[in-house]
């Protein structure tokens, strides 16, 4: 049992500690990472900033094109009377301006879509809550700061538009919290800033 | 006595450099902390595991569990902070100096925070930490380290009178254990 645990722990080190094989074609490069998110303009209000944690993996499609598959958990307050929680899971396509695999700064444009689930909960009565699910599209720009051929820090800013009715929290005249679900299509969104760390693990199908 | 023993090991093995890809390092220690949004301090039990990926980079996972506070009616009733990220280190011989960035989360209960049923809810708060520190590898299985960690977290959805900002500056130092998982070339 101890041997199995030791092998489980040590095996990734053996594989990740090898030098990255740089091939002519970057297609197939697989990387894994974690990220932290600042969400602003939640429900259209600059005061309701949220903070989140998430992770992603990237699978490069071509020298100029990469894909990023992500999941985020973001929590924020609505005024001082409700809590908003957003769950995102989706994919973004990143378009690079250079073929170079790891220059110090590698800027890119990003666009994609995701599925999201949002929950609002009144702070003074947690049984008073509402939720909605919808899809969303997002677009923005960012850059990798390549600290080594394998590792990058990524800074991204993107706007995410939720394609569907939003849910709102408001304080009613009697002091209770009202939660309302908007019907029909809406274009409510939020501005997201991400800082992520990614580690290139392997080239899954690249050829020399 | 322990330091004297370790120093003697160090003098015996001072020619060998232990910092290379495959180096695993872990420790369990106490970490005093200063809360940056209120005037109180805490102390945590801290555990971490890190692995060297190449000459400069290490992955690191760490958990801090609240063990006590300097004041009787402290802010936290429960606090457990977990982070996972990477460190960039510059080494000279067996001395490694590093900075790191780690996204993570905090699971916390806050004194004075009661819901409508009079219960003290447990909150999940996305967080991140940034650390700077140094490790000296004394021998193939021992090291000493000192580390300063800034933790950022805001707990959302608490009773309206309570501020959720709960940033901390943690200091940890002690004896770590290391092993090389990859044989030297």
């Amino acid at each position: 049992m101890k041997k199995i645990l030791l092998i489980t722990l040590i095996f990734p080190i053996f594989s990740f500690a090898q030098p990255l094989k740089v091939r002519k074609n970057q297609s197939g490069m697989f990387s894994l990472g974690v990220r932290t998110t600042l969400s602003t303009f939640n429900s259209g209000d600059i005061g309701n900033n949220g903070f989140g944690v998430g992770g992603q993996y990237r699978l490069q499609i071509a020298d100029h094109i990469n894909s990023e598959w992500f999941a985020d958990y973001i929590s924020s307050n609505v005024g001082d009377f409700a809590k908003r929680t957003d769950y995102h899971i989706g994919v973004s396509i990143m378009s690079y301006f250079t073929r170079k695999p790891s220059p110090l700064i590698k800027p890119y444009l990003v666009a994609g879509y995701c599925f999201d689930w949002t929950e609002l909960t009144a702070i003074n009565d947690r049984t008073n809550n509402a939720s909605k699910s919808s899809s969303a599209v997002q677009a923005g720009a960012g850059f990798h700061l390549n600290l080594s051929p394998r590792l990058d820090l990524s800074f991204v800013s993107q706007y995410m538009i939720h394609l569907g009715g939003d849910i709102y929290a408001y304080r009613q005249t009697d002091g209770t919290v009202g939660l309302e679900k908007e019907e029909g299509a809406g274009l409510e969104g939020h501005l997201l800033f991400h800082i992520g760390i990614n580690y290139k693990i392997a080239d899954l199908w690249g050829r020399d | 006595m322990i330091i004297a023993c370790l120093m003697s090991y160090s003098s015996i093995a001072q020619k060998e450099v232990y910092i290379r890809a495959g180096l695993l390092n872990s420790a369990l220690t106490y970490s005093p902390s200063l809360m940056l949004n209120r005037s109180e301090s805490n102390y945590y039990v801290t555990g971490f595991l890190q692995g060297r990926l190449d000459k400069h980079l290490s992955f690191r996972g760490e958990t801090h569990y609240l063990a006590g506070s300097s004041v009787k009616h402290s802010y936290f009733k429960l606090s457990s902070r977990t982070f996972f990220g990477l460190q960039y280190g510059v080494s000279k011989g067996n001395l490694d100096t590093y900075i790191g960035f780690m996204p993570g989360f905090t699971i916390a209960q806050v004194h004075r925070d009661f819901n409508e049923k009079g219960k003290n809810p447990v909150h999940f708060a996305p967080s991140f930490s940034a650390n700077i520190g140094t490790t000296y590898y004394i021998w193939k299985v021992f090291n000493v380290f000192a580390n300063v960690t800034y933790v950022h977290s805001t707990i959302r959805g608490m009773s309206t009178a309570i501020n959720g900002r709960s940033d901390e500056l943690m200091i940890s130092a002690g004896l770590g254990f290391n092993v090389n998982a990859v044989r030297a070339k």
Side-chain angles (χ1 to χ4, degrees):
Chain A
M1 186 63 186
K2 279 181 183 175
K3 273 187 178 177
I4 292 169
L5 279 173
L6 200 64
I7 288 165
T8 308
L9 192 70
I10 289 172
F11 179 75
I13 295 292
F14 276 110
S15 55
F16 299 167
Q18 305 305 314
L20 181 67
K21 288 178 184 170
V22 180
R23 299 167 194 264
K24 287 176 186 172
N25 187 342
Q26 294 165 61
S27 167
M29 192 61 74
F30 178 78
S31 64
L32 199 61
V34 288
R35 67 184 185 177
T36 189
T37 300
L38 177 67
S39 170
T40 60
F41 295 102
N42 288 334
S43 302
D45 189 340
I46 195 168
N48 293 333
N49 292 337
F51 195 73
V53 63
Q56 73 275 330
Y57 68 86
R58 289 181 188 149
L59 191 56
Q60 191 145 354
I61 298 163
D63 285 347
H64 288 280
I65 305 291
N66 206 344
S67 67
E68 183 173 79
W69 304 75
F70 61 87
D72 286 317
Y73 171 95
I74 301 167
S75 68
S76 55
N77 276 355
V78 181
D80 60 357
F81 51 88
K83 179 189 176 187
R84 176 181 169 132
T85 309
D86 289 280
Y87 300 82
H88 295 156
I89 183 163
V91 59
S92 289
I93 300 299
M94 304 145 81
S95 176
Y96 298 120
F97 300 102
T98 177
R99 277 178 188 275
K100 291 179 184 173
S102 52
L104 182 63
I105 304 282
K106 190 170 183 177
Y108 58 90
L109 297 174
V110 63
Y113 69 91
C114 82
F115 299 103
D116 70 273
W117 187 70
T118 304
E119 184 180 36
L120 279 173
T121 307
I123 285 173
N124 63 0
D125 179 6
R126 287 172 170 83
T127 59
N128 181 15
N129 57 59
S131 65
K132 61 118 183 171
S133 57
S134 67
S135 55
V137 291
Q138 71 274 355
F143 65 93
H144 302 319
L145 179 65
N146 286 303
L147 298 174
S148 85
R150 278 187 182 270
L151 177 86
D152 70 73
L153 267 177
S154 295
F155 300 83
V156 188
S157 172
Q158 59 182 346
Y159 194 75
M160 178 178 282
I161 300 171
H162 294 258
L163 306 172
D166 195 18
I167 47 175
Y168 295 100
Y170 54 94
R171 196 185 286 282
Q172 303 187 102
T173 50
D174 62 356
T176 59
V177 177
L179 302 174
E180 200 167 305
K181 200 169 181 176
E182 196 179 57
E183 293 299 326
L187 290 176
E188 171 271 337
H190 43 175
L191 184 62
L192 304 169
F193 299 95
H194 308 282
I195 301 176
I197 306 168
N198 288 275
Y199 191 77
K200 292 185 181 76
I201 291 173
D203 187 346
L204 298 186
W205 63 74
R207 291 180 193 166
D208 291 315
Chain B
M1 181 69 177
I2 293 169
I3 291 169
C5 288
L6 294 175
M7 292 302 282
S8 65
Y9 278 130
S10 173
S11 60
I12 293 163
Q14 62 185 340
K15 295 289 181 190
E16 190 176 346
V17 175
Y18 306 113
I19 302 171
R20 61 174 190 267
L23 179 67
L24 289 170
N25 173 19
S26 70
L28 191 68
T29 187
Y30 271 110
S31 300
S33 82
L34 192 66
M35 294 202 80
L36 301 178
N37 310 103
R38 45 194 55 80
S39 53
E40 63 182 76
S41 55
N42 298 319
Y43 53 96
Y44 286 83
V45 174
T46 294
F48 69 82
L49 173 68
Q50 67 183 56
R52 199 87 180 182
L53 297 166
D54 62 24
K55 190 180 172 189
H56 295 293
L57 299 169
S58 302
F59 73 81
R60 179 176 170 116
E62 65 182 33
T63 293
H64 310 270
Y65 187 80
L66 181 71
S69 176
S70 63
V71 293
K72 190 176 178 184
H73 301 291
S74 59
Y75 180 76
F76 282 129
K77 184 178 178 183
L78 163 80
S79 175
S80 175
R81 300 175 180 277
T82 300
F83 302 97
F84 186 81
L86 287 160
Q87 283 186 170
Y88 185 86
V90 177
S91 59
K92 188 174 181 183
N94 283 315
L95 182 69
D96 187 35
T97 305
Y98 54 82
I99 55 169
F101 174 73
M102 286 172 281
F105 58 86
T106 297
I107 294 169
Q109 260 182 313
V110 173
H111 279 129
R112 302 189 297 115
D113 173 40
F114 296 102
N115 64 18
E116 66 284 354
K117 291 176 183 169
K119 288 188 177 173
N120 203 201
V122 176
H123 298 275
F124 178 89
S127 313
F128 78 84
S129 77
N131 70 337
I132 184 165
T134 188
T135 302
Y136 183 68
Y137 293 88
I138 298 168
W139 192 43
K140 61 182 178 182
V141 291
F142 292 120
N143 65 75
V144 285
F145 66 92
N147 188 69
V148 178
T149 305
Y150 165 74
V151 175
H152 173 84
S153 64
T154 302
I155 299 166
R156 319 275 180 178
M158 285 200 297
S159 306
T160 53
I162 302 173
N163 183 351
R165 287 292 299 273
S166 47
D167 297 359
E168 287 188 87
L169 199 64
M170 296 181 179
I171 298 165
S172 55
L175 180 69
F177 299 94
N178 51 271
V179 61
N180 273 297
V182 177
R183 195 170 290 175
K185 289 173 185 172

